[in-house]
Amino acid sequence: MRPAHPTRALTVLVVVLSVLTVVNLGASGIWWLRTAGSGATAAHASPSATASATAAAPSASATATGPSASVDGIPAQEAPGTSAAPATVDLAASWKPPTDMPTAGRLLRVDIPGTTSHFRARDALLWLPPAALTADPPSLPVVVLMSGQSKGAGPEDLASAGHIEETMDALATLHEGLAPIVVVPDQLGPDSGNPMCVDGPLGNSRTYLEDDVPAWITSHLRVQTAPSAWTVGGFSQGGTCAIQLGAGDPGRFGNLIDVSGEDGPTLGSTATTIAKGFSGNAAAFRQAQPAALMAAHAPYRATNAFFAAGGDDHSAAPVMPVQAQRARTAGMHVTTWVLPGAGHSWGTAAPAIAAGLTWLVPLVHLSPS
């Protein structure tokens, strides 16, 4: 990738990847396979399956000292005020961290109900940076991240295998406590199915992500409101969802991070996908493909897109440059990132997401651009 300040960006990325190494990330990541029957299954159980014993417990950092907290662990001071939230804020220029600011962020589990979509979702992850834990927190940018899809997969994968807390703490440390607020919703449902981030017989996942999740975020957190301050991202099936939502709803998401995503929503074969996911409606299936969404919404005048894949990922590596070129042709500002020798695993996804978040920081005015 080619940031405006390569030395600064490289420093951030080295620190983030060092953190991931310390927490024992690497080739032991879970390897993912594609099968015609399910669209995405795993060779080993998802990290979420092994995290169930601790999923209900707050992160250790959630007990850190800081402002008074509500029942769910979100500081009372983080609640939106009565005045309109700002569209964007250049915090890189204006932020002065208080002397009593916590040294680490806070990872929480929160319930985001499907009020409009009626989508059944498990608890989401919420990470708040140190700046959000102060007595007068600033309005911050938002990143909505999604896991891949496999047996037992879900939001917890971003913590247990994606090490999102360590990654975000490292970024915040380098930027005086500033980092985007991260929300990891459950786009799969309680059975870790594949509703493909569309509205259909498998659940109204798209409406959940486009309406319910943003509504919860803006009603519970101090966030900026402009599309340029909102990012959607994910790994594997979550990466596919990211390009679907980023391409299909540029009025909400001005940035996207697609790590090892597929060419489009799929349950395996085209025939199975149309029959089970779209109630036999082939036209709706075609309209839900990222290529069709980009064609329908082009030209994109202010969308930034980060595409990443492992160099040895036989499913995603061929797709990534094609998807990136479609986005570039449609007017998006595109960056691509390849991890040489890596396959389709969290060993690829975690550093790729870290690279994408590093790329994002100056775009959302948390560091000089």
Side-chain angles (χ1 to χ4, degrees):
M1 58 186 182
R2 304 175 69 178
H5 295 281
T7 302
R8 177 186 294 271
L10 181 61
T11 300
V12 174
L13 184 55
V14 167
V15 171
V16 170
L17 296 181
S18 297
V19 170
L20 295 173
T21 301
V22 168
V23 296
N24 198 29
L25 180 69
S28 61
I30 291 170
W31 294 85
W32 296 60
L33 303 174
R34 291 287 179 265
T35 66
S38 65
T41 58
H44 302 287
S46 162
S48 291
T50 60
S52 58
T54 59
S59 163
S61 62
T63 60
T65 59
S68 60
S70 60
V71 174
D72 57 10
I74 301 173
Q77 290 86 342
E78 181 60 21
T82 56
S83 58
T88 59
V89 181
D90 186 358
L91 290 170
S94 62
W95 170 247
K96 302 297 182 184
T99 57
D100 60 349
M101 183 180 68
T103 58
R106 180 179 296 179
L107 184 66
L108 302 168
R109 277 78 182 171
V110 296
D111 174 37
I112 302 181
T115 304
T116 300
S117 65
H118 304 292
F119 185 76
R120 294 176 59 227
R122 293 163 291 182
D123 281 356
L125 299 184
L126 169 64
W127 182 84
L128 298 172
L133 305 177
T134 60
D136 185 20
S139 294
L140 290 164
V142 179
V143 175
V144 177
L145 286 178
M146 290 168 282
S147 72
Q149 187 268 329
S150 68
K151 182 179 180 181
E156 287 295 327
D157 292 356
L158 267 295
S160 59
H163 300 291
I164 192 63
E165 184 177 16
E166 292 84 356
T167 297
M168 298 310 298
D169 278 343
L171 286 173
T173 296
L174 289 166
H175 299 294
E176 299 186 304
L178 293 173
I181 290 173
V182 176
V183 178
V184 185
D186 177 22
Q187 86 280 14
L188 304 175
D191 298 324
S192 299
N194 186 6
M196 299 183 291
C197 293
V198 300
D199 290 347
L202 302 179
N204 294 329
S205 180
R206 176 182 173 181
T207 296
Y208 180 68
L209 295 166
E210 289 188 344
D211 294 349
D212 292 325
V213 171
W216 184 92
I217 291 171
T218 56
S219 64
H220 286 78
L221 305 168
R222 289 194 182 187
V223 297
Q224 299 167 25
T225 60
S228 60
W230 283 65
T231 302
V232 61
F235 166 55
S236 191
Q237 190 264 9
T240 313
C241 291
I243 183 61
Q244 289 171 239
L245 298 176
D249 193 4
R252 166 61 68 187
F253 299 108
N255 313 293
L256 67 93
I257 299 172
D258 178 353
V259 175
S260 306
E262 299 157 309
D263 192 57
T266 181
L267 297 174
S269 70
T270 298
T272 298
T273 303
I274 293 173
K276 294 185 177 182
F278 293 86
S279 299
N281 189 334
F285 165 77
R286 290 191 295 269
Q287 292 166 4
Q289 301 306 307
L293 292 168
M294 284 186 268
H297 290 274
Y300 296 86
R301 305 192 185 281
T303 296
N304 302 296
F306 181 93
F307 295 92
D312 288 348
D313 185 339
H314 300 299
S315 60
V319 171
M320 188 270 280
V322 174
Q323 204 78 284
Q325 185 55 46
R326 288 173 183 155
R328 192 176 289 111
T329 300
M332 296 185 190
H333 307 292
V334 173
T335 296
T336 59
W337 194 88
V338 176
L339 189 60
H344 200 83
S345 74
W346 278 104
T348 301
I353 290 171
L357 292 167
T358 301
W359 159 86
L360 178 68
V361 165
L363 295 177
V364 293
H365 308 297
L366 298 181
S367 72
S369 58

